[in-house]
Amino acid sequence: MDRIPVPAVLKDLSRIFTAQGYQVYLVGGAVRDYFLGKKAEDWDIATDAKAEEVATLFKRIIPTGIEHGTVTIPFRGHMIECTTFRIETGYTDSRHPDLVSFTATITEDLSRRDFTMNAIAAALPTGEIVDPFDGRKDITKRIIRTVGDPHTRFSEDGLRPLRAIRFSAQTGFTIEGPTLEAISPSIPIIKTVARERIRDELSKLLTSDNPLPALYYLEQTGLLEHLIGELSMCRGVFQGGRHRHDVLDHLFYTCVYCPSASLELRLAGLFHDIGKPVALAFDTEGNPTFHGHETVSASITEKIMTRLKFPGKTIKAVCHLIRQHMFHYESVWTDAAVRRFIVRTGEDEIERLFALRRADSRAISDIAEEGADIQELRERIIGILKQGHAFTLKDLAINGHDLTSQGVPRGPVTGVILEELMQAVLDDPSLNNRERLLDISRAMCIERKLI
Ligand code: ATP
Ligand code: MG
């Protein structure tokens, strides 16, 4: 196939270039995704027109990275990234090319791109393919291969090895021999890459359909040890009991069995038992135990995710799921215990915690269905939530002002009393009326000699 179909929007856009004698090509992910049979998410185009010249062709452009020849063109509801043909030379810091030189041909531009499957262009408006590095052949062979010598290409930009592994997760492709072999020697260069860029690649890897082979690539190349050494420490930590896997394999599988749509769940799956090597002890029969590992796991996870510059909100959500993952529901739980579970977990996080549990159990026993215990707990939670009782301090029939007006001194003690009242109401929702709570709080204050 030497031509690909071109959407009308792109044809119309490209004619604005070609009418002025410029060349213009669709490049990068969009062309690759066409050959992968996937719908492209966004369009990148390359042209021999300089950024200033592109600016004269359109009413409005956004100067995204003028010094690198990149502008964004808003066109009929699309944001199209347009870059002047260029080559990059002299990567003294392995991150940013010292010199960007513009060049006249698409083939030269394609030669600076990372992998053969990302170095295919389609001329616009015709859709005619330019594929000087046999990207299509590699796509057919389902392999990821650098354009040119992998050692050189990885030494220019330490992010590329990680991109190779990320693309393998997204495509299910194998990283071909020499490209894979060049990853370990590139670790010193990878160390110079900005953490945010690493975080973004890891996030794409983890939210792909099947990250499992990519996780093993990370381990096998030594990248895992470099990026998340705390995970490598889980290799060879055996768990006994029903577990088929050591801790690291268990984490990999739990991660993969979490729904791909949620980065937070995938991260929680990957890290939920990471504290086990630290919490490891042995009982009198010599079996391993991991008491309190959920707390250790949450604190290790917080360190890792902070180091990798994840947003605070993501870190908080992941650590919360990890801290709560060890609940053991039994039918004998009282309604008060179920109410406490709802409060502890947070109403909005319950289904995610159950998803983590499903993945965790499946990684242990290979059974994908949800346990009857969780189904029962869910039914009870639904029933209890329907009753509309108080679950947070905001729902209590009295507040801090009511306490101070009774003579309770302002300060932390008010919070302590409200918290105790909350616990009493979770035990017995019928206590949640103003008179009863004022009575109880008065009794508490007298007992503590506060009034
Ligand atoms: P996606 O957008 O799905 O992550 P993509 O292939 O479009 O995938 P981008 O990061 O958007 O990736 O980059 C667009 C193109 O620019 C790539 O297809 C590749 O040709 C080139 N490219 C991006 N990053 C690099 C890099 N670090 N080294 C060399 N070429 C790169
Ligand atoms: Mg892209």
Side-chain angles (χ1 to χ4, degrees):
M1 188 194 323
D2 289 307
R3 267 170 203 249
I4 63 169
V6 176
V9 184
L10 275 179
K11 275 192 185 158
D12 294 347
L13 174 85
S14 71
R15 289 200 182 100
I16 299 173
F17 285 82
T18 52
Q20 301 303 317
Y22 295 119
Q23 306 170 46
V24 61
Y25 291 84
L26 183 64
V27 289
V31 184
R32 176 196 68 223
D33 288 347
Y34 172 78
F35 289 109
L36 290 173
K38 286 202 280 195
K39 201 174 172 301
E41 296 200 349
D42 45 28
W43 291 320
D44 294 331
I45 59 176
T47 176
D48 57 349
K50 301 284 179 316
E52 312 80 67
E53 294 169 328
V54 176
T56 64
L57 300 178
F58 297 91
K59 267 208 267 356
R60 191 166 81 90
I61 56 120
I62 301 156
T64 326
I66 286 274
E67 66 286 9
H68 296 114
T70 304
V71 298
T72 303
I73 308 170
F75 192 74
R76 293 200 204 147
H78 298 268
M79 298 298 271
I80 295 163
E81 204 167 285
C82 174
T83 305
T84 309
F85 295 159
R86 60 173 208 222
I87 43 175
E88 291 147 8
T89 43
Y91 290 82
T92 40
D93 68 353
S94 312
R95 268 180 294 179
H96 304 294
D98 300 335
L99 203 67
V100 172
S101 30
F102 298 116
T103 164
T105 70
I106 183 67
T107 302
E108 276 183 296
D109 179 88
L110 293 174
S111 72
R112 73 167 167 94
R113 294 175 183 272
D114 46 9
F115 304 107
T116 58
M117 64 177 186
N118 288 342
I120 314 171
L124 297 176
T126 60
E128 197 164 323
I129 290 298
V130 181
D131 182 15
F133 304 103
D134 284 333
R136 282 172 301 174
K137 205 158 123 199
D138 287 346
I139 290 176
T140 320
K141 292 196 323 211
R142 300 176 59 79
I143 57 171
I144 294 164
R145 186 162 62 92
T146 50
V147 170
D149 172 56
H151 290 278
T152 314
R153 301 314 310 284
F154 289 168
S155 69
E156 290 165 356
D157 179 355
L159 191 69
R160 288 176 189 155
L162 197 54
R163 280 174 62 88
I165 298 179
R166 182 262 281 196
F167 283 121
S168 85
Q170 291 180 325
T171 56
F173 287 10
T174 310
I175 303 175
E176 63 96 46
T179 300
L180 183 61
E181 280 155 28
I183 295 182
S184 305
S186 316
I187 288 179
I189 299 148
I190 298 167
K191 288 187 178 169
T192 65
V193 174
R195 301 248 165 87
E196 290 84 351
R197 295 177 80 202
I198 292 181
R199 172 203 63 202
D200 289 346
E201 290 302 322
L202 280 178
S203 301
K204 287 180 184 175
L205 184 161
L206 288 175
T207 48
S208 65
D209 283 348
N210 179 17
L212 196 60
L215 290 169
Y216 286 112
Y217 272 142
L218 286 177
E219 189 190 12
Q220 172 195 342
T221 55
L223 258 181
L224 189 72
E225 190 174 350
H226 160 61
L227 296 174
I228 314 175
E230 297 89 339
L231 269 180
S232 304
M233 282 171 55
C234 297
R235 175 58 76 219
V237 178
F238 292 99
Q239 315 189 64
R242 295 178 300 128
H243 279 275
R244 301 176 292 160
H245 298 302
D246 70 355
V247 177
L248 188 59
D249 283 334
H250 175 69
L251 291 174
F252 283 0
Y253 278 92
T254 307
C255 169
V256 171
Y257 292 150
C258 283
S260 62
S262 166
L263 174 63
E264 290 171 1
L265 266 176
R266 283 269 167 102
L267 285 163
L270 185 63
F271 294 141
H272 74 285
D273 281 346
I274 200 167
K276 278 191 168 175
V278 178
L280 175 67
F282 293 92
D283 65 14
T284 46
E285 273 124 54
N287 302 311
T289 62
F290 303 99
H291 296 301
H293 74 268
E294 62 276 30
T295 317
V296 187
S297 298
S299 82
I300 296 176
T301 301
E302 188 179 348
K303 271 201 212 107
I304 297 170
M305 291 183 65
T306 307
R307 195 169 72 216
L308 289 170
K309 311 248 185 235
F310 278 95
K313 199 171 137 270
T314 313
I315 301 178
K316 212 170 142 206
V318 172
C319 292
H320 176 68
L321 288 167
I322 293 176
R323 218 173 280 114
Q324 301 304 328
H325 87 270
M326 285 299 288
F327 69 93
H328 289 292
Y329 171 74
E330 288 174 28
S331 301
V332 295
W333 275 21
T334 58
D335 281 357
V338 177
R339 280 192 288 273
R340 282 210 187 83
F341 173 81
I342 297 172
V343 172
R344 204 165 55 236
T345 309
E347 205 180 315
D348 297 339
E349 290 300 319
I350 291 172
E351 277 309 323
R352 297 219 290 186
L353 188 62
F354 288 174
L356 178 60
R357 170 59 59 88
R358 278 195 299 279
D360 192 1
S361 312
R362 184 172 170 198
I364 297 171
S365 65
D366 215 19
I367 297 168
E369 288 83 51
E370 185 166 73
D373 56 338
I374 301 296
Q375 293 176 26
E376 182 180 306
L377 176 56
R378 180 185 291 107
E379 290 305 314
R380 288 186 67 186
I381 289 170
I382 293 170
I384 282 175
L385 286 174
K386 268 200 200 126
Q387 294 165 10
H389 293 313
F391 286 100
T392 68
L393 292 183
K394 274 196 276 152
D395 306 325
L396 276 188
I398 64 170
N399 60 27
H401 288 299
D402 298 313
L403 293 182
T404 32
S405 59
Q406 286 206 63
V408 177
R410 274 179 211 281
V413 70
T414 333
V416 173
I417 291 177
L418 285 174
E419 196 45 58
E420 283 180 30
L421 292 174
M422 186 72 239
Q423 292 306 319
V425 168
L426 286 171
D427 271 338
D428 178 0
S430 73
L431 297 180
N432 195 25
N433 71 65
R434 203 177 145 75
E435 294 313 310
R436 297 285 301 271
L437 292 185
L438 286 176
D439 282 348
I440 300 171
S441 62
R442 203 168 301 124
M444 285 175 170
C445 291
I446 292 168
E447 197 186 314
R448 286 160 209 213
K449 301 194 171 53
L450 292 169
I451 50 176

